[in-house]
Amino acid sequence: MTRINTNVPSLVAQNRLQASNRDLQTSLTRLSTGLRINSGSDDPAGLIASEALRSEITSLNKSISNTRRASQIISTADSALGQVSSLLNDIRGLVVEAANSGALSPDEISANQLQVDSSLEAINRIAQTTTFQGRKLLDGSLDFITTNGTGASNIQNLKIDQANLGGTGSVGVTVNVSTAATRAAVDVGGFNAVVPSVAATGTVSVGTAATAAAATTTLNIAPTVTAAAASGSVSIGADTLTITANTAGAAGNVAVTFIDAGAAGATTAAIGSGGEIEISYDFAAATSSVDIEAAINTLSDYSATGSGVDSTTASTPPADSSLTGGVDAAAATTITVTADTAGAAGNRAINFIDGGASSATSAAFNSTTGAIEVTYDFAAATAASAIQTAIDGLTGFSATVSGSGSTTAATGATSGATTGGVDANVADTITVTATTAGAAGNVAINFIDGGASSTTSAAINSTTGAIEVTYDFAAATSASAIQTAIDGLSGFSATGATTGNSIASTGVTDSTLTGGTNQTGGVTANVVFELAGRNGSEVFNISSGTSLNQVLAQINLVSDATGVTAAANGSTLELRSSDFGTEAVVDLRILTQGAGGNFGTGGRDTGDNIVATVNGRSANGVGNQLSINTATLDITADLAAGFTGDASFTISGGGAQFQLGPEVVSNQQARVGIGSVNAARLGGVAGKLFQLGSGESAALGTDPTLASRIVTEAIDQVTSLRGRLGAFQATTLESNLISLNDTVANLQEAESSIRDADFAQESANLTRAQILVQSGTNVLALANQNPQNVLSLLR
């Protein structure tokens, strides 16, 4: 069909040409850009995947850069730590050299100290100046910050190597110790306390001890007088009235008179003005004796008895009478004479001499006999006080009077003598002691009479072991001679004879040395044993009788070389390892031992490691140290000996955080703690490194042993830090770098496969598109020429 209004072939040719032009344009774009996807319309899904991969690749490339940067920081810190380690090794060499004080002069040790001081300054300088892009690495600013919780004081030497603080910026750590670490322990019992040997001793008394005493006596000057009542009798006709004073005393000595009372006078009795008894009655009347007796009895001071016949008197009165025999009571008068000075010289006779009429009372010493002679007039009444004054006036004597009586005329006072005066004397006590401690010194000391003129000597009885001292009992032998004889014996000594007392006629009392005892307790038999610990072993040779404390001293003296310490618990020797855990050991091996020894057969033991969890995860225990290394937490800590239970702390910040992955999330980050390495922080339980400085407690000239322990701990601390950083660099950073590079390569390959153009394919597509465009153009031309064929029909 031929049509001209609608040129369908032309339209078809146009459409195909447009499609071929689009294909040509697409091929040209891809070949010029090298990308298969140049716009979302090229491949929407592929564009999404490609852009996602590009984002990951960009993040990974930054992670690789971060990792390399972290590795550079660690390398910088490690380089500085290597120099610190070198300085510490130099210090250790100087310490070991300075310990050779027997060969080094003080000047050489001082020179070494100067080098130590310079090294300490260099270490401090390195700690302050090691930086990376202005950030200090070794001054402690990159260490973790912790806050103590319950029981945190039981956590010691905490080292936080890594910690993931997550989005909150802190993490709590709880350590639960279910079983505490133990030391290796071997006990040896039976060490009773040592009771040392005691030397036998005894004493021998030579002479008698006497305390000085003053001579004294009492002289009786007048006797004691007992009071007596006065009495008398009156005859009344056949009756005899006895009249007695009711009160004893001389006052009762009175007259008895009769007075005529006149006609019909009453019979009465009264005391006259002179004290006499006056009896009145009618003389002319017959008056009975009963009436007279009754009258006398009316007197208060007198009484009358005897009127039994009732005789009467008339016209002639009875004869007057008197009461006699009444005596007043009087105390005895004595004079006490005492020598003014104690001693036998005061023992003197006291004689009384009649000086004759009117002689003065006096006292004097007889120049021949030494007696005290008192002279006075015996016929006169001489007062006792006069005699006392005379004696008291003598030099060396004093006299006191008691009572007020006096001597009776014509008689002298009784002679006497002062007695009891004793000169002071100290008995010689010879102390005899065995020169060797032990029960063998308990022997008798016997004294033997050697007879006339025998020499004082001493010997040991070969049978009994007694000390026999021989001297002449009849002679005066001095205590010093006896002492010298005993002191000359082998095995005994004698001391104490100082006053020179002598013995005559009698022998010294035998005596005995007692109290000697042999030593008991401690090591019961000679023993040789080897004691081994973690640090090494030593051989000990212990003698029988050595005390437990002495054994302790020997073992503890070398505890640093063996790693074993010793302590006493009552009678038990406790051997303990210095360290805790399964690596600690106490090995006691008995090499030789005498019969009855108390070291037994020895023994061996190891300790137990700590059993604990950290945040619920089992921790690795070595002795008292636990450690845990997880993706989120890497710590090492020492726990207090014997501690069980919970201890907690919080890591609230700090550390050097490194972004190691493409995502900013905690599991693609690492936080490493780097502590300070200055001299004040390096060290351990023995002390800190700064103590090695001049004038400090661990200076070379002060305590090189302590200095060695501190340097060793500091070297271990720096080495541990270097190892930890090196492990982080090798295992974390380098492996992460390799992994990231591989991941980036794979992602880039994946992204390339999605987005990059395949030039071979696109070249073929281009050629095809070019041909199609050319053929389409020719076809379109032909299609446009077909309507012109209609004109041929119109011609």
Side-chain angles (χ1 to χ4, degrees):
M1 181 179 284
T2 301
R3 292 186 286 267
I4 62 173
N5 287 332
T6 301
N7 191 350
V8 174
S10 177
L11 292 176
V12 172
Q14 289 179 40
N15 288 337
R16 297 306 304 165
L17 181 58
Q18 288 177 357
S20 295
N21 280 327
R22 285 195 301 272
D23 289 342
L24 178 61
Q25 185 64 39
T26 297
S27 294
L28 289 171
T29 301
R30 288 176 176 176
L31 288 171
S32 63
T33 62
L35 299 175
R36 187 182 67 85
I37 301 173
N38 290 286
S39 65
S41 61
D42 292 337
D43 186 354
L47 178 66
I48 293 173
S50 174
E51 289 298 329
L53 288 172
R54 280 190 172 187
S55 176
E56 289 185 28
I57 291 169
T58 301
S59 297
L60 286 170
N61 284 330
K62 286 300 180 183
S63 297
I64 292 172
S65 176
N66 288 343
T67 301
R68 286 174 177 159
R69 178 67 63 85
S71 182
Q72 292 164 359
I73 291 174
I74 298 301
S75 295
T76 302
D78 181 68
S79 177
L81 288 172
Q83 186 58 36
V84 172
S85 182
S86 177
L87 289 169
L88 289 174
N89 285 328
D90 290 343
I91 293 175
R92 182 178 179 83
L94 293 170
V95 170
V96 173
E97 184 179 22
N100 191 28
S101 59
L104 266 65
S105 67
D107 289 341
E108 289 175 298
I109 295 176
S110 297
N112 284 355
Q113 182 65 55
L114 291 177
Q115 294 184 61
V116 170
D117 293 341
S118 297
S119 296
L120 294 179
E121 292 175 5
I123 290 172
N124 288 335
R125 184 169 57 254
I126 291 172
Q128 291 298 320
T129 59
T130 302
T131 60
F132 188 92
Q133 288 189 332
R135 168 170 285 189
K136 294 182 178 182
L137 302 181
L138 301 178
D139 67 342
S141 59
L142 294 183
D143 204 357
F144 284 100
I145 301 171
T146 60
T147 303
N148 289 340
T150 303
S153 60
N154 294 295
I155 300 176
Q156 304 163 355
N157 298 325
L158 174 64
K159 296 179 182 178
I160 306 173
D161 298 338
Q162 296 183 52
N164 191 331
L165 304 186
T168 60
S170 65
V171 60
V173 180
T174 299
V175 177
N176 175 264
V177 180
S178 57
T179 304
T182 61
R183 291 186 172 99
V186 173
D187 292 341
V188 182
F191 290 89
N192 295 320
V194 172
V195 179
S197 299
V198 178
T201 185
T203 59
V204 177
S205 293
V206 179
T208 303
T211 301
T216 185
T217 190
T218 300
L219 302 174
N220 293 318
I221 303 302
T224 300
V225 177
T226 304
S231 65
S233 62
V234 177
S235 294
I236 307 296
D239 281 338
T240 299
L241 295 180
T242 300
I243 304 171
T244 306
N246 292 334
T247 303
N253 295 327
V254 296
V256 180
T257 61
F258 293 90
I259 300 172
D260 187 359
T267 301
T268 62
I271 302 300
S273 59
E276 67 277 8
I277 299 173
E278 294 178 338
I279 301 172
S280 300
Y281 66 94
D282 183 1
F283 285 1
T287 302
S288 69
S289 60
V290 173
D291 291 337
I292 296 173
E293 176 184 347
I296 296 171
N297 280 327
T298 61
L299 298 175
S300 61
D301 292 330
Y302 297 93
S303 59
T305 59
S307 57
V309 183
D310 194 23
S311 295
T312 60
T313 60
S315 301
T316 303
D320 291 340
S321 182
S322 297
L323 301 185
T324 61
V327 178
D328 292 331
T333 299
T334 60
I335 296 175
T336 301
V337 182
T338 306
D340 294 335
T341 303
N347 295 330
R348 302 193 183 202
I350 302 176
N351 300 322
F352 293 92
I353 300 172
D354 186 1
S358 303
S359 64
T361 304
S362 62
F365 293 114
N366 185 301
S367 59
T368 301
T369 64
I372 298 173
E373 295 179 338
V374 182
T375 301
Y376 67 96
D377 183 2
F378 285 5
T382 302
S385 58
I387 298 174
Q388 175 252 333
T389 299
I391 298 174
D392 198 47
L394 291 176
T395 300
F397 291 87
S398 59
T400 58
V401 66
S402 174
S404 58
S406 61
T407 58
T408 305
T411 62
T414 305
S415 297
T418 56
T419 60
V422 178
D423 292 332
N425 184 50
V426 177
D428 269 323
T429 299
I430 301 175
T431 300
V432 183
T433 306
T435 53
T436 302
N442 294 331
V443 297
I445 303 177
N446 300 323
F447 293 89
I448 301 172
D449 187 359
S453 303
S454 62
T455 302
T456 303
S457 61
I460 303 295
N461 185 302
S462 60
T463 303
T464 64
I467 298 173
E468 296 180 339
V469 182
T470 301
Y471 67 96
D472 182 2
F473 283 7
T477 302
S478 68
S480 59
I482 296 174
Q483 173 198 328
T484 300
I486 298 175
D487 199 46
L489 290 175
S490 175
F492 297 91
S493 63
T495 59
T498 57
T499 61
N501 282 308
S502 60
I503 305 162
S505 302
T506 59
V508 180
T509 304
D510 292 343
S511 183
T512 303
L513 301 186
T514 59
T517 59
N518 295 324
Q519 177 174 295
T520 60
V523 178
T524 57
N526 294 343
V527 62
V528 178
F529 63 87
E530 180 184 21
L531 183 61
R534 183 177 180 182
N535 297 344
S537 65
E538 286 286 340
V539 175
F540 298 88
N541 191 335
I542 307 295
S543 300
S544 174
T546 301
S547 70
L548 178 55
N549 287 337
Q550 291 171 325
V551 175
L552 297 180
Q554 292 189 49
I555 294 174
N556 289 330
L557 183 65
V558 293
S559 61
D560 57 339
T562 61
V564 178
T565 60
N569 183 1
S571 61
T572 299
L573 168 64
E574 295 183 340
L575 302 175
R576 299 291 183 266
S577 61
S578 301
D579 299 326
F580 288 80
T582 54
E583 295 183 2
V585 62
V586 174
D587 189 1
L588 176 64
R589 299 182 183 182
I590 307 303
L591 304 181
T592 63
Q593 183 173 210
N598 49 358
F599 269 85
T601 58
R604 178 185 174 86
D605 187 48
T606 58
D608 296 317
N609 292 327
I610 191 172
V611 179
T613 61
V614 177
N615 287 350
R617 298 192 60 170
S618 295
N620 180 42
V622 178
N624 265 326
Q625 186 181 82
L626 61 81
S627 61
I628 187 171
N629 189 357
T630 67
T632 58
L633 187 63
D634 183 359
I635 66 170
T636 302
D638 294 330
L639 274 296
F643 171 71
T644 58
D646 291 341
S648 63
F649 62 92
T650 300
I651 305 174
S652 55
Q657 179 173 300
F658 299 111
Q659 177 66 40
L660 303 181
E663 299 294 334
V664 185
V665 292
S666 60
N667 61 359
Q668 295 188 25
Q669 297 172 341
R671 203 181 273 264
V672 178
I674 304 176
S676 173
V677 294
N678 63 36
R681 298 291 294 276
L682 290 179
V685 294
K688 297 302 179 183
L689 192 62
F690 76 90
Q691 293 175 242
L692 274 70
S694 295
E696 298 292 343
S697 59
L700 301 187
T702 303
D703 192 347
T705 301
L706 176 60
S708 177
R709 294 202 300 268
I710 293 174
V711 172
T712 299
E713 291 176 344
I715 290 174
D716 291 343
Q717 188 176 349
V718 172
T719 302
S720 175
L721 178 57
R722 291 190 68 190
R724 177 165 58 83
L725 294 179
F728 176 71
Q729 184 178 22
T731 61
T732 301
L733 298 182
E734 292 183 5
S735 63
N736 184 64
L737 188 60
I738 294 172
S739 175
L740 290 176
N741 283 326
D742 289 344
T743 302
V744 168
N746 292 329
L747 290 179
Q748 285 179 336
E749 181 182 1
E751 196 267 341
S752 175
S753 67
I754 295 173
R755 196 159 192 166
D756 287 349
D758 185 345
F759 271 69
Q761 181 181 351
E762 294 302 328
S763 297
N765 289 340
L766 177 63
T767 300
R768 176 179 176 276
Q770 286 176 332
I771 294 172
L772 289 176
V773 169
Q774 290 177 5
S775 65
T777 302
N778 291 333
V779 170
L780 180 60
L782 290 175
N784 287 335
Q785 289 176 358
N786 283 338
Q788 293 178 0
N789 292 332
V790 175
L791 293 177
S792 65
L793 295 175
L794 296 177
R795 292 188 182 124

